[in-house]
Structure formats: C-alpha cells, structure tokens
Amino acid sequence: MAIGKPRNNKRSSSTSYASTISTVVFIALCVLGVWILTSNSIMPPQTTTRGTTTTTTTNTNTYSSSADTRVAKSNDRKDPPAFEDNPGELPDDAIKSDDPHGDEKSQEEQKSEFEIQKYSDGESSTGAANEADGNTDKQETEQENGGGDGKNGEENSQGKESGEEQEQQKESESQVSEESTLTLNQQGVHTNENENRGTTQQGSENEETKQTGDEERNVIQEVEESKSQEGESHENAQESQHQILDEDEQQRLQQQQKEEEKGDTQRGDQNEETQHENQQHQEIQEVTNKETQQNEGTEQSQTATEEQESTHATEETNTQAENQETQQESQQNESRSGQEATQGTTTTEEKATESNSVDSLPTGENSGIPKESKESKKSWSTQADQSENQKERRKDGSDGKDGSIYGYTWQLCNVTAGTDYIPCLDNEKALRKLRSTKHYEHRERHCPEEGPTCLVPVPEGYKRPIEWPKSREKIWYHNVPHPKLAEVKGHQNWVKVTGEFLTFPGGGTQFIHGALHYIDFIQQSVPDITWGKHTRVVLDVGCGVASFGGYLFDRDVLTMSFAPKDEHEAQVQFALERGIPAISAVMGSQRLPFPSRVFDLVHCARCRVPWHAEGGALLLELNRILRPGGYFAWSATPVYQKLEEDVEIWKAMSSLTASMCWELVTIKKDKLNSVGAALYRKPKSNNCYDQRKHNHPPMCKSDDDPNAAWYVPLQSCLHRVPADEAERGSEWPEDWPRRLKTPPYWLNSSQMGIYGKPAPDDFATDYEHWKRVINKSYLNGLGISWSNVRNVMDMRAVYGGFAAALKDLKVWVMNVVNVDSPDTLPIIYERGLFGIYHDWCESFSTYPRTYDLLHADHLFSRVKKRCKLAPLIAEIDRIVRPGGKLIVRDESGAVGEVENLLKSMRWEVHLTFSKDQEGILSAQKSDWRPDSYAASS
C-alpha cells in the first residue's frame, strides 16, 4: 500500500507563516471596508448547501475557498478521468470532502484519504470512482449556485442611478464577480459582467479588476506556498514515521528471511501476513490522525500536532517492537516444531496428524507420564557409577552450536575402512599404540578422543534393502560387496553369491542343513528350554552371519548375536543387512556391555573362543551374564570328536564347568548334521559354591559389582547367586509373553521409579504411555511406511516401553541405556527384550547403514551437556540406512539444533512440532553424500 512517497523539503518558519496570514487578513479587510463605504445597501451573505449542512460565510471565507478551488483546478481543465488502483495517478477531484473545510485539503491528503477509504472499506476502483463522481457533481452544483449569485449582484449594481456611486459599486461588484469566475474557471463558465456598460467604463473597470486580481493571485500564491510548506512539514514528519516503519520493516524482513532459511511453515506464513496487514492498518490510521491534526490552520495547533506525532510515533514504535518480539517468539517455537516439510511446506499428511503429534508429546496433560524425577536418581545407580574404568567425557568448550552450525561443511571420511568404517573399531592411531594383542585387544573398542564429524561414503551400486522376511534369504550384493566369506564358508551354506544377490541358505558350520532343524534339535535335547516361552532372550557368541538368531524369530525368541570385526569380513554386517540383530564385539580383556544375570540361554557353535584358557576367564564372563538356572549350549568339535586337541579341550572344559558348579544336563548328537552339542545349566543357589573342596575359580569379592560392565576388565571369579527372594535373579521370569507386561517381581513399591511414582506403577504407566504414543502418532502420523522398517534402535530406553509397544510389528528394537542414566537395562531384559549399555559421546559398535529407524527420547538435551552434538549427528547418519528415519522427542531448543544439523546433511525433515517447550521431529536420511574427502588423520 502506498500512502505517498516521502520527499525531502524545507520546513517553513513561523515568521513567514505569520506574515502570510497577516497579508491575507489585511487585504480581506480592505475589500470589505471599500464595499461598506461605497454601497448604498448591504448585500445579503452567500449561503452554500453541502449535503444536509448549511454554512454561512462572509466574503472573506468565500474568497479563501474560491482561491483554493481555483489553484486546485488550475493544472487540469479536462474532464476528470476514471482513476485506477494506483493512488499516484488519481485525478485532482476524484475525492471530495463533505466537511466545510474539505476544499482546503491538499492533493496529497486527498490521495491519502482515498487509500484509507479503499483499504478499510474494501471498495473496488469502480465503486470509488462512482462516489468521487457524485461528490464532483455536488461541487459543480454548489459552484453554479455561487455563479448565479454573482450575476444577480451585477444586475442589481447596474440599476444604480448615481454615476460616481455606480462606478464604485461596480468596482466592488467586480471583486465579487471575480470570486465566482474563479470558481467556474475550470468548467469554461464565462459571465459577461457589463453588457450594458460603455466602452470607457468597461475598460477602466477591467483595468482595476485586473490589478486587483493580480494582487489576489500574489496573495493566493503566498498562501499556497505557505500551505505547501506546511504540507511539506507534514510530509517530513510522515517521512520520519516511515523511516521508523522502514527500520521495523527491515528488521521484520531480516527475521522473515532467517526463519525461511530454517524452513517456514504455511501457518507461520499466514500469521506473518496477518501481522503485516495489522501493521498496515496501524500505519494508515496513524497517518490519518496526523493529517487531521495538521490541518487545524494555526501555528499553535501545528505545534500540538507535532508533539502528538512524536508521541504517536513512540507508541507506534513500542507497539511494533512488542509485536516484533511476540512474532519472533512465536516463529521460533513453531520453526522448531511446526509442520515443515523439506522445502518449507507442510504436507497434507502432517496437517492430518497434528493433533496426534500433540497427544504424543512427552510431557503435559496429554502425555500420561510426568518428567523424570530428580529424587528418583537417588534410588538408581548408573553404569558410570558402577564401572571402575568408565571413560569420562566432558563438554569441550562447545556444544556444537557455533556460528556455522547450520551451514556446516561435511566431508567424506578419509579412512582405510572406507564404506565399512566403525570409528571405535577402526582407530588405527590407537591400535598402533597397543602393547599386546594376546587378549584380542585389537578387536576391542578404542574410540577417538573427538568423535568424527565426517560422513561415511556409500558403496557404489547401493540399493534400498530388501524387506523382511525375504531379506533373511537374500540381500543385494552391492550393499555389502564382500565375496570372501562366500568363498571360505560357501560349502557350509553360510552365504553364496547368486547373480546380483548374496543368498543365505540358512546354514552354519554346525547346521549345514539349516538352522531350524538345529534349533529344534536343541529343544529336543532339553525340553525345559521351550523356545519362546521359558526361553525368550538368547546370546549367540561368534554368530557368523547370525542364521541361528535369524531363524529363532520363528520360535518367538529374541537373540543378541555378536562377533568381532576380523578376517571373516563383514559377518555382522551381513546379519544386520538381513534384518537380524547383531553387534560387533569380542570376548577379550573386558566385560561385555550387558548387565549380570539377564540371558536365558547362551549359545556357541564353533565360536572359536578358548573357554578353558587362563583359568576360564571368558567362561566366567558368560557365567556373569547368564541367568541363574539358564543354559549354555556348546556345539563344538571337542564335544563329539576324538582328536587329541579336542580331547584335551574337553577335559579342561569338564573340569572348569564342574568347579563353576555348572551342571552338564546332556550331550546329544545331531545325526543329520553329524554334530553334537553339550548343554550346561547354571546353578540356582549357592549350595554348590559353599560345598566346593577347592576355591577355584575363587568367589568374587563383595565389592565387585557384577552389573558394572562399561570398560570394566574381566574378573576371573564367580559371583554368588542371589539368595534373597526379593533380589533380581532369585526367580525365573514369567513365561513369554506375560513377562512383557508384568512388572518384575523384584521391583519394590517402596522404591521411587524414574518418573517419581512407585517403581511398579512407573513401569505400568510407561508402557501405557508408549502404547498410546505409537498407536496415535507413530504408526500413522509420521509418514513412516512400517513395512520398510525392520531394524530399530531406541537410543535412550528407560523401561523398554517403546520396544514393548512395537511387539506386534515385524521389527526388533535395540534398547540402549546410557551409561549416565539410571541403570534400567535389567528391567528391559526381565520383560523379554534386550539392549546394551552405551555412551553416546562415542561411536556405536555397528557397521554403517544398518538401522532403518532410530528413536531418541530426550537424548540430545542430556548428551550436549557432556559432549558436542555434531559428532553424534554424524554417528546417526553413519548408522541409519539411506531412506531410514529418525524420530526425536526432546526440549524445543535441542530439537532445533538437531534439525539444523540434519538439514546441513540434506536430511528431509518431514515434521517438527512443539508444545510447552517440548518438541518432536521426524526426519528421513537422503542419498546425498559430499563430493570431497576430509584430510587424512
């Protein structure tokens, strides 16, 4: 909207203004005095009717009004054209005022009035033109009435008999006639004033009239210059106001541009347009008030107007500043969680799920669960507290939020491992410093001090993974282009190369004819195992390509498979690409990252682990994590072959297991596969330990915490079995699937839960909360095709409620309990799920591109207190497959930082939403990779 372009003009002084007014008044009084002295009779005053208002004016007022009208029309004598929407092209007489002083308004003021009327009333150009034409007709009628009065005055004057008095009377009448003539001049109206006068008299009168008219024109010109200067003063004030508005406008535009870079939502755009319209209304109203105040006609009113302008300008600035702050706060909240698609637009899908997203926010009335209780921390220990050799990572001067965080320049990782880079297992610098590799230290975790901020390249020819369950039988060769294992283990039906696929016949070293037969063979050997009921959570050591765990899904069993990153290249990567749970780990010099007494069964089929060596340290580690009453299934050549080496190993194993009080339940031979298996059982009480003749291996010291597992060295000792009935491990969990929903028997009601309720109630509330969130929001509200989701990770699990709520989907969930969080991982295992300890200031022990979906509930706001976010986001990009998803639930500020980092890596952010300072984000990894490589470290 244009009100009028500000111009730079000089401001009139009060002295020139007073001089002009004095001149006008003096001339008017002179004319009046001459007329009174020379007239024999007093002329009646002229009366002008405008609408319903009758205004009586003296000749002085008529003179002033006529002069203004004459000047206003002096530039154009043509018929008024039909005006357009552009206010700069309005005709002079397009707008007429109904007030008696309306003709005194300047052309610019009329245009302003037109703009105000057009904006506020919403009239079209045609409607405004019709109204203007009607006003013009009124003016013409009034002018004709004035002209008629002038003619009557002339005829009355010609009837005078006295010559000298008649001449003076005619001079006075000529002045009145001149006033009428000025009014009718634009319309071509001419009046013959002295048709019956003589030539001499007419010439004399015309000369006098001309002189008087010249004087009047000079006066009028001075008046107009004064008014122009007054208008210029108004325009200067208006310009000052516009400058204030322009500064605010520039600030608003800068803010708008910044928000657009973050990806403005349609709702944000609509709010911005509404606020802009409100600002326009305020600007128009402000200008109207100023113009009305400035047309008072006196210096005192002008001064008062200027003071009011200053006051209004200040109020306007303050109001706009408040609006600006409100607008910024609103946009900041909505930009972090509002419904933004990748190019800054909200999809129909997002709009449809907004209410569901609100219901699923982690806090507030709709959450069904409170925030974590600070008091509860006193009741729960953490891995950081329990683990003696815990690596402390502290915030290194920055949380990743620097000046270039949004425009972070990413590069490809320049490492020997290439597309299979695992930072904590491929740290060549740390590996070169190792003094010994006797205990497989070179296969253990050695994380860099600073997490890498490079992106792992994708293998050439990579394709989106095949969906489960077909992926169990075949995967794309170019996704894991490693044929060596097929060459070495192809005859054992591990893996084969078949065209563009890698196929998995389902075999293994000990079950060439298929894993399902082998699985049934184990249960037949020990019927109490009862897969999927009594036995639910299994650990597979030295898993190979994890076909054993892959086919245990058919028996409703969840298996944690692990193997080292060794010469059997990419065996764990094969497993994860197939959709089978697995991690890269080794039984070396440190404890496995699991709690004590959590696995129902541990399996080893030719796993190449020297269980009997060094006092049985590795087998004692299995004893730590095996549930009392749980089974160890050992299928290896020492069990069924009679070679000298095998016989010696068998003797050593028999002695060791006996001293550990393990019961050899049975030794069975599988005729189909020509293998045998020995099944051992861990004791359920301490009776055997107390009756041993030799204290070897020794019992662990009382201060040795069996649950401490994060970077804790192996201990060659036995932990006692819990004797208290209320202690975890003293009883076997309920059968699956009842154990999923039932709070563990050892959760004490006197213990405060994570969220502040008694622990059993906390457990139940958490489960109900996540069922509601997943059903209302995650399944249908985030645009996720769950048929394409198989491998899932909960990056900050508490009770495992998120994983439990996904039970009916064909997915598995790796529950990660952070080392600085309450140690709730035993609860997760107790309910028939599994997980691992981890510190997200370090890289996770998995291959790149191995998970379909990562879920992070209030993770980033906690992690950034100890380490930078950029390496963590780079780690997420490494773990997630192209096309994979990330769901973040956290404080709004943390969500915003994560969103910026994801966008810098070309992730597609499908949804952001916030409420009560809590936000949710859903994003998808794209196929984008940088073009350049980082410098070699």
Side-chain angles (χ1 to χ4, degrees):
M1 183 204 77
I3 297 178
K5 184 177 181 180
R7 297 173 300 180
N8 295 327
N9 294 309
K10 297 180 179 180
R11 187 180 182 94
S12 63
S13 65
S14 59
T15 303
S16 59
Y17 186 89
S19 177
T20 301
I21 296 300
S22 300
T23 304
V24 172
V25 174
F26 176 77
I27 293 174
L29 291 176
C30 290
V31 173
L32 180 61
V34 172
W35 177 79
I36 293 175
L37 292 174
T38 58
S39 178
N40 292 330
S41 61
I42 299 176
M43 294 178 62
Q46 298 180 8
T47 303
T48 303
T49 304
R50 298 176 182 266
T52 59
T53 304
T54 301
T55 304
T56 303
T57 62
T58 64
N59 288 342
T60 302
N61 293 339
T62 303
Y63 167 80
S64 177
S65 177
S66 301
D68 290 348
T69 305
R70 181 182 64 186
V71 174
K73 294 187 177 183
S74 62
N75 295 328
D76 191 0
R77 296 180 181 273
K78 297 180 181 181
D79 293 335
F83 53 84
E84 301 175 346
D85 287 341
N86 184 1
E89 299 298 328
L90 289 176
D92 297 338
D93 57 346
I95 300 296
K96 297 294 182 180
S97 173
D98 289 338
D99 66 87
H101 301 288
D103 291 338
E104 295 177 3
K105 295 182 179 180
S106 66
Q107 183 177 358
E108 288 294 323
E109 293 168 344
Q110 291 177 347
K111 292 179 181 180
S112 297
E113 285 187 21
F114 166 74
E115 284 299 304
I116 296 166
Q117 183 177 3
K118 179 181 177 182
Y119 189 91
S120 60
D121 296 341
E123 294 181 351
S124 65
S125 298
T126 304
N130 292 338
E131 180 180 354
D133 290 341
N135 291 334
T136 302
D137 292 338
K138 290 182 180 181
Q139 295 291 336
E140 291 174 355
T141 301
E142 293 163 3
Q143 291 168 355
E144 290 175 359
N145 291 336
D149 293 339
K151 291 179 181 180
N152 293 336
E154 282 182 30
E155 293 173 359
N156 293 333
S157 299
Q158 291 176 356
K160 301 297 180 180
E161 295 180 356
S162 174
E164 183 178 358
E165 291 178 355
Q166 183 178 7
E167 183 178 351
Q168 294 177 350
Q169 179 66 28
K170 288 178 180 179
E171 181 180 354
S172 176
E173 290 173 352
S174 68
Q175 296 174 357
V176 177
S177 178
E178 177 69 14
E179 295 168 2
S180 299
T181 302
L182 290 172
T183 305
L184 300 174
N185 219 9
Q186 290 287 343
Q187 304 174 18
V189 180
H190 302 283
T191 304
N192 294 327
E193 301 180 51
N194 301 308
E195 294 178 352
N196 298 327
R197 295 177 184 173
T199 302
T200 302
Q201 289 179 336
Q202 184 174 2
S204 176
E205 291 170 354
N206 289 339
E207 183 177 358
E208 293 176 356
T209 302
K210 182 178 180 180
Q211 293 175 353
T212 305
D214 291 338
E215 294 176 355
E216 293 172 350
R217 288 187 181 92
N218 292 335
V219 173
I220 291 171
Q221 185 175 0
E222 293 178 356
V223 172
E224 290 302 314
E225 288 177 355
S226 175
K227 289 187 176 182
S228 175
Q229 292 173 349
E230 180 182 356
E232 289 167 1
S233 174
H234 156 68
E235 290 173 351
N236 288 336
Q238 184 177 357
E239 178 185 5
S240 177
Q241 174 66 13
H242 273 286
Q243 289 175 350
I244 295 174
L245 296 178
D246 288 343
E247 291 176 358
D248 291 341
E249 181 69 6
Q250 290 175 1
Q251 292 178 358
R252 187 186 65 76
L253 290 176
Q254 290 174 357
Q255 179 66 23
Q256 178 182 356
Q257 182 178 3
K258 180 178 178 181
E259 293 302 324
E260 286 177 351
E261 289 176 353
K262 293 181 180 178
D264 286 340
T265 63
Q266 286 184 347
R267 172 179 294 180
D269 292 337
Q270 293 172 356
N271 291 338
E272 185 177 330
E273 291 174 3
T274 302
Q275 292 173 355
H276 181 59
E277 292 176 358
N278 291 337
Q279 289 179 354
Q280 287 180 328
H281 278 296
Q282 292 174 357
E283 292 172 12
I284 294 169
Q285 185 63 38
E286 192 64 24
V287 172
T288 304
N289 294 337
K290 294 172 189 173
E291 291 175 350
T292 302
Q293 293 170 355
Q294 274 197 312
N295 287 326
E296 299 276 330
T298 65
E299 183 177 0
Q300 292 80 3
S301 63
Q302 180 183 5
T303 303
T305 302
E306 291 174 353
E307 293 176 353
Q308 290 178 0
E309 285 176 357
S310 177
T311 302
H312 285 306
T314 302
E315 293 175 352
E316 177 72 6
T317 303
N318 293 337
T319 302
Q320 291 179 354
E322 293 175 358
N323 293 338
Q324 187 81 7
E325 292 176 359
T326 304
Q327 179 182 357
Q328 290 176 357
E329 292 176 359
S330 175
Q331 290 177 345
Q332 286 174 357
N333 289 336
E334 294 192 10
S335 70
R336 291 172 181 157
S337 56
Q339 303 81 4
E340 180 200 354
T342 306
Q343 281 79 26
T345 58
T346 303
T347 62
T348 304
E349 180 179 62
E350 293 164 6
K351 292 180 180 179
T353 62
E354 178 178 331
S355 60
N356 292 337
S357 299
V358 175
D359 292 338
S360 67
L361 284 175
T363 59
E365 297 178 356
N366 296 323
S367 67
I369 192 167
K371 290 185 177 181
E372 293 186 13
S373 171
K374 295 181 180 180
E375 293 296 327
S376 68
K377 295 181 180 180
K378 300 178 181 179
S379 304
W380 298 83
S381 60
T382 68
Q383 273 298 307
D385 298 331
Q386 296 167 345
S387 301
E388 298 176 4
N389 295 343
Q390 159 67 17
K391 281 187 178 179
E392 293 187 0
R393 303 273 182 178
R394 290 296 176 253
K395 186 176 179 182
D396 186 17
S398 172
D399 59 357
K401 186 173 65 174
D402 52 54
S404 60
I405 187 170
Y406 184 80
Y408 196 97
T409 302
W410 298 96
Q411 293 181 307
L412 293 174
C413 297
N414 188 4
V415 292
T416 305
T419 60
D420 298 333
Y421 180 46
I422 304 176
C424 289
L425 300 181
D426 295 318
N427 187 358
E428 296 178 349
K429 182 178 179 180
L431 294 177
R432 287 193 295 264
K433 296 180 179 180
L434 292 177
R435 296 181 179 180
S436 172
T437 59
K438 179 181 179 181
H439 298 102
Y440 301 94
E441 290 90 347
H442 59 301
R443 306 296 185 193
E444 294 178 332
R445 291 172 58 85
H446 302 280
C447 298
E449 290 298 323
E450 286 285 341
T453 55
C454 58
L455 304 184
V456 178
V458 176
E460 185 177 354
Y462 182 88
K463 297 181 180 180
R464 299 295 168 88
I466 298 172
E467 295 181 8
W468 178 269
K470 293 181 179 180
S471 62
R472 187 169 57 179
E473 280 74 40
K474 65 179 181 180
I475 62 174
W476 297 110
Y477 171 80
H478 289 292
N479 287 13
V480 191
H482 296 293
K484 182 178 179 180
L485 200 59
E487 298 171 1
V488 176
K489 296 291 185 180
H491 67 285
Q492 295 177 349
N493 286 334
W494 278 36
V495 57
K496 296 181 178 182
V497 179
T498 308
E500 61 179 347
F501 299 103
L502 289 167
T503 57
F504 301 86
T509 303
Q510 297 299 101
F511 40 92
I512 298 175
H513 298 287
L516 280 176
H517 169 79
Y518 176 76
I519 289 169
D520 292 340
F521 157 73
I522 291 176
Q523 180 168 313
Q524 291 169 5
S525 302
V526 181
D528 288 345
I529 288 177
T530 56
W531 298 119
K533 291 185 179 180
H534 183 78
T535 302
R536 164 65 181 174
V537 185
V538 171
L539 178 69
D540 187 16
V541 182
C543 62
V545 295
S547 289
F548 177 73
Y551 283 91
L552 272 174
F553 278 113
D554 292 354
R555 300 294 183 261
D556 215 1
V557 173
L558 199 57
T559 306
M560 175 74 76
S561 302
F562 77 91
K565 189 178 184 181
D566 57 11
E567 63 274 10
H568 289 163
E569 59 177 0
Q571 53 187 332
V572 169
Q573 190 175 15
F574 283 134
L576 290 162
E577 185 71 16
R578 297 173 68 189
I580 302 171
I583 62 170
S584 291
V586 65
M587 299 201 70
S589 64
Q590 297 176 348
R591 288 179 176 177
L592 294 172
F594 309 117
S596 66
R597 307 185 297 270
V598 291
F599 288 101
D600 302 334
L601 182 145
V602 179
H603 172 257
C604 166
R606 294 282 291 272
C607 58
R608 302 173 62 191
V609 177
W611 301 115
H612 62 288
E614 298 190 6
L618 300 181
L619 194 63
L620 289 169
E621 172 62 7
L622 289 191
N623 183 78
R624 182 184 72 85
I625 61 178
L626 184 63
R627 191 183 299 278
Y631 293 91
F632 173 58
W634 185 38
S635 176
T637 55
V639 176
Y640 57 89
Q641 290 187 358
K642 300 302 180 181
L643 298 176
E644 181 178 355
E645 181 182 3
D646 291 331
V647 171
E648 291 180 359
I649 293 175
W650 175 254
K651 289 182 178 179
M653 279 290 290
S654 297
S655 175
L656 177 61
T657 54
S659 64
M660 292 171 56
C661 294
W662 280 17
E663 176 190 359
L664 178 58
V665 179
T666 186
I667 300 176
K668 293 286 184 179
K669 291 195 67 174
D670 179 7
K671 296 181 180 180
L672 179 63
N673 291 306
S674 299
V675 299
L679 285 97
Y680 298 89
R681 191 180 190 187
K682 180 179 176 177
K684 299 173 64 176
S685 69
N686 294 310
N687 294 335
C688 177
Y689 298 146
D690 296 336
Q691 297 173 3
R692 289 189 308 167
K693 295 181 180 180
H694 305 285
N695 190 26
H696 182 79
M699 301 303 294
C700 295
K701 297 180 180 180
S702 58
D703 60 353
D704 188 296
D705 186 354
N707 292 311
W710 189 244
Y711 291 112
V712 175
L714 290 178
Q715 301 292 325
S716 296
C717 62
L718 287 169
H719 292 92
R720 297 183 67 85
V721 174
D724 189 347
E725 293 182 357
E727 189 176 355
R728 179 175 67 86
S730 62
E731 296 181 14
W732 196 266
E734 293 193 37
D735 286 349
W736 177 264
R738 289 195 304 272
R739 65 193 284 184
L740 179 72
K741 305 176 183 179
T742 306
Y745 66 90
W746 44 267
L747 273 185
N748 196 331
S749 297
S750 61
Q751 181 183 12
M752 181 183 294
I754 304 301
Y755 302 108
K757 297 181 179 180
D761 297 338
D762 238 23
F763 175 95
T765 303
D766 176 79
Y767 181 46
E768 293 301 323
H769 165 71
W770 285 112
K771 285 198 302 182
R772 181 173 63 254
V773 168
I774 288 174
N775 291 330
K776 285 189 175 183
S777 178
Y778 287 10
L779 293 183
N780 301 311
L782 300 181
I784 297 174
S785 176
W786 287 89
S787 62
N788 297 327
V789 175
R790 173 62 182 171
N791 304 354
V792 180
M793 179 187 293
D794 191 359
M795 299 179 69
R796 185 180 170 274
V798 180
Y799 295 117
F802 170 76
L806 293 173
K807 168 185 172 294
D808 296 331
L809 298 183
K810 294 181 179 180
V811 302
W812 58 267
V813 180
M814 179 69 71
N815 293 281
V816 179
V817 173
N818 291 251
V819 296
D820 62 333
S821 297
D823 187 4
T824 56
L825 192 53
I827 299 175
I828 293 173
Y829 276 93
E830 195 79 5
R831 66 191 306 180
L833 306 173
F834 65 9
I836 190 172
Y837 294 121
H838 186 62
D839 182 359
W840 282 114
C841 291
E842 300 178 356
S843 175
F844 193 76
S845 295
T846 188
Y847 279 84
R849 305 172 301 280
T850 49
Y851 281 83
D852 300 301
L853 186 147
L854 266 59
H855 180 257
D857 180 29
H858 286 78
L859 170 68
F860 300 101
S861 58
R862 288 168 169 78
V863 169
K864 73 176 187 176
K865 297 177 181 178
R866 301 189 300 120
C867 50
K868 299 178 182 179
L869 283 187
L872 176 54
I873 299 300
E875 173 66 5
I876 289 173
D877 182 86
R878 188 187 71 85
I879 294 173
V880 176
R881 293 167 170 170
K885 313 296 193 305
L886 171 66
I887 302 174
V888 178
R889 307 165 63 84
D890 214 316
E891 299 172 0
S892 297
V895 171
E897 293 182 46
V898 172
E899 179 183 1
N900 289 339
L901 283 165
L902 292 176
K903 286 182 177 179
S904 71
M905 296 189 299
R906 311 296 195 273
W907 280 54
E908 300 172 2
V909 177
H910 291 308
L911 171 69
T912 55
F913 188 86
S914 67
K915 179 182 179 183
D916 299 332
Q917 301 302 316
E918 296 288 335
I920 183 172
L921 176 147
S922 175
Q924 182 176 9
K925 181 180 176 180
S926 68
D927 296 326
W928 176 82
R929 292 291 88 179
D931 296 329
S932 61
Y933 281 84
S936 178
S937 58

